[in-house]
Amino acid sequence: MKKLVIAFAAAAACSGTATAADLGARPLKAVAPVPVASWTGFYVFGGAGGGLWNADSNVFSDGAVGFYGPAGTRLTRDQRLGGNGWFGTVGLGYDWQFNSKWVTGIFADVQFGDLRGSFVDAVYGAEGTAKLRTSYAAGARLGYLVAPNVLSYVNAGYSGSEWSGSTLSTLTLPTTTIATTPSFRRDGWFIGGGVENNLDIFGIAAPGWFMKTEYRSAFYDRITLPETALAGGSTGTTTTFKPWVQTISTSLVYRFNSTGSAAVADPAPRLYAKAPAAISAPSWTGLYVFGGGGGGLWNADSNVISDGTSGGFFGPAGTTLSRDQRAGGSGWFGTVGIGYDWQFSKWVAGVFADGQFGDIRGSLPSNAFVSFEGREKLRTSYAAGARLGYLVAPSVLSYVNAGYSGSEWSGTTLSTLDLPATDTFTTTSFRRDGWFVGGGIENNLDIFGITAPGWFMKSEYRSAYYDRITLPETIVPAFGGGPSGRATTFKPWVQTISTSLVYRFNATNAVVAKY
């Protein structure tokens, strides 16, 4: 199972105008304590989000039908299914702040909603809807304060999930309901990360209130589900299901002790002989380049239609032969890009372009009359868009973005899912144009007290949407070649998370304050 680990990743300053030539030696009055957020204490949160799941699935004999062999006989190879949807979440936790900039804590939460997709028995060419209805987690997190009011963290722990049963109907039209599967639960583990900051936007402060955005990947073991025929008794088959769930959520947080500590100034009067050096913060106006890596999932709705070349056997071109099923894919990629930002007060706007290159692979199904499947790969994607962000601290930018997205896909060889697998058809490589929406967090690279002028780090979530394409299926040369009379449609949605190093060419030109 592929695993993703991410960490989102600063200082605030005061303003003044005097220079060393303007200042004589004079007493400095005691400065009142300046309150800052305390991260030690109890908190509660609630919010919402969305996500995708993938699941590897195959079919075995349950031994009830002799034709399929003894119980445990493997009848099909794996195919990758997909699902997506929305959820709400509530939770609570307790944090401890230590060594000034570090925070550790424990938490528990629950997600309730409807992330639905396909559950398929390839032996019968039948499909039903599987829904992730509820998931729950208990874990720990460790974070670093990239600014006094901004926590970047990673987390991990236990995850449980509750899934609906399915009613299986034939994919080939006209559809016929043939069997059901029971509801089930799976235990597993999760890993993720996020960013949390105090709720101070547009100059309006809300003491005790914070906001956090979190990415999470949860992994569960394979389960074997018996199938009950509609007329009663066994179908002779069992279907396995091994899910991986990827989610992104945003929540409001209330911290009960958030103002419980203060940064206390030296109470004794002092004499200054000269003004200290100016304190600077990054300028966000200027050109930047970046490079990094990440991972993601895709879902795709897919069905089979006639291409009109079968001499009437499959009907005229465009005749629908099967209903949709939802396929899935997962993998890794690298990314490089360039952009330009403009800063105006606490706001930053900009334009950018980037490319992603890698291997996010999954199933291209073709389930009409006989079940076929091939490995489809998202090899390259590219984007051009705009972003708008708000400086939650002088060196920390929270932003949203959107724009054009293009993608290049591999094409595949379709083989029977029934064993032994036989290569039967091929589909061509293709490209799709679409659009994306996303968001992220970017901060200067100041970790463990080590600064790197001009260098930043950004973590970004993105969802890209593409229109359906129709892919003709060509018979492999071993069976004579030529058109098959069939075509498979494919409508993908891609969800990615990435972390990149950023170099800003103008990052050290702005001066925030002089004392």
Side-chain angles (χ1 to χ4, degrees), residues 86-351:
W86 304 94
F87 61 88
T89 182
V90 293
L92 74 168
Y94 193 94
D95 283 333
W96 293 268
Q97 184 173 352
F98 64 100
N99 287 352
S100 180
K101 287 194 170 185
W102 290 92
V103 175
T104 188
I106 55 175
F107 66 93
D109 60 38
V110 62
Q111 296 176 350
F112 46 90
D114 186 353
L115 276 67
R116 65 174 62 194
S118 287
F119 183 91
V120 175
D121 179 337
V123 169
Y124 288 101
E127 184 262 1
T129 298
K131 303 176 189 177
L132 174 55
R133 297 182 294 198
T134 308
S135 59
Y136 31 87
R141 70 175 181 173
L142 177 65
Y144 184 79
L145 291 169
V146 296
N149 61 328
V150 182
L151 177 68
S152 178
Y153 65 89
V154 293
N155 57 14
Y158 160 80
S159 180
S161 59
E162 304 281 349
W163 299 76
S164 72
S166 298
T167 298
L168 300 176
S169 302
T170 56
L171 283 160
T172 303
L173 298 176
T175 189
T176 302
T177 301
I178 62 171
T180 60
T181 61
S183 59
F184 62 96
R185 65 181 302 274
R186 299 309 289 153
D187 295 319
W189 59 279
F190 77 88
I191 191 167
V195 64
E196 183 175 338
N197 60 272
N198 68 326
L199 204 60
D200 181 0
I201 301 178
F202 314 126
I204 301 173
W209 288 97
F210 288 67
M211 180 175 68
K212 72 182 179 84
T213 297
E214 181 174 306
Y215 165 87
R216 192 177 291 180
S217 277
F219 305 87
Y220 305 101
D221 288 338
R222 192 182 295 258
I223 188 173
T224 299
L225 298 168
E227 297 178 15
T228 302
L230 200 63
S234 171
T235 62
T237 60
T238 61
T239 301
T240 74
F241 190 79
K242 184 182 181 182
W244 165 22
V245 183
Q246 176 176 276
T247 58
I248 188 83
S249 64
T250 296
S251 299
L252 281 176
V253 182
Y254 185 77
R255 307 185 73 92
F256 291 93
N257 192 42
S258 64
T259 57
S261 68
V264 180
D266 182 357
R270 296 177 288 168
L271 294 180
Y272 279 129
K274 63 178 182 178
I279 297 175
S280 64
S283 167
W284 291 84
T285 296
L287 182 73
Y288 64 92
V289 294
F290 61 91
L297 303 182
W298 55 256
N299 278 186
D301 289 336
S302 178
N303 70 350
V304 182
I305 63 174
S306 170
D307 70 1
T309 64
S310 63
F313 181 77
F314 292 133
T319 300
T320 301
L321 304 179
S322 74
R323 57 189 180 84
D324 267 350
Q325 78 168 80
R326 187 157 291 169
S330 62
W332 302 92
F333 62 87
T335 182
V336 294
I338 187 171
Y340 194 96
D341 283 333
W342 294 268
Q343 181 178 352
F344 46 103
S345 185
K346 285 192 170 185
W347 292 91
V348 175
V351 294

Side-chain angles (χ1 to χ4, degrees), residues 301-308 317-319 364 427-432 467-473 485-492:
D301 289 336
S302 178
N303 70 350
V304 182
I305 63 174
S306 170
D307 70 1
T319 300
L364 177 70
T427 62
T428 61
S429 60
F430 62 96
R431 67 182 299 272
R432 298 311 289 154
D467 288 337
R468 191 181 294 258
I469 188 172
T470 298
L471 302 168
E473 299 176 8
R486 302 156 47 113
T488 296
T489 74
F490 189 78
K491 183 181 181 181

Side-chain angles (χ1 to χ4, degrees), residues 352-365:
F352 66 93
D354 60 38
Q356 296 178 349
F357 45 92
D359 185 355
I360 306 181
R361 67 173 65 191
S363 289
L364 177 70

Side-chain angles (χ1 to χ4, degrees), residues 441-513:
I441 191 83
E442 183 174 339
N443 60 273
N444 68 330
L445 205 59
D446 180 0
I447 302 179
F448 315 127
I450 301 171
T451 60
W455 288 96
F456 289 67
M457 179 173 69
K458 72 183 179 85
S459 292
E460 181 174 306
Y461 165 85
R462 191 177 292 181
S463 279
Y465 304 85
Y466 304 100
D467 288 337
R468 191 181 294 258
I469 188 172
T470 298
L471 302 168
E473 299 176 8
T474 301
I475 299 171
V476 298
F479 292 127
S484 66
R486 302 156 47 113
T488 296
T489 74
F490 189 78
K491 183 181 181 181
W493 165 23
V494 183
Q495 176 178 275
T496 58
I497 190 80
S498 63
T499 296
S500 299
L501 282 176
V502 183
Y503 186 76
R504 294 185 159 272
F505 293 95
N506 195 40
T508 58
N509 281 1
V511 174
V512 172

Side-chain angles (χ1 to χ4, degrees), residues 32-56:
V34 180
V36 296
S38 168
W39 291 84
T40 295
F42 181 69
Y43 64 92
V44 294
F45 61 89
L52 274 67
W53 56 257
N54 278 186
D56 290 337

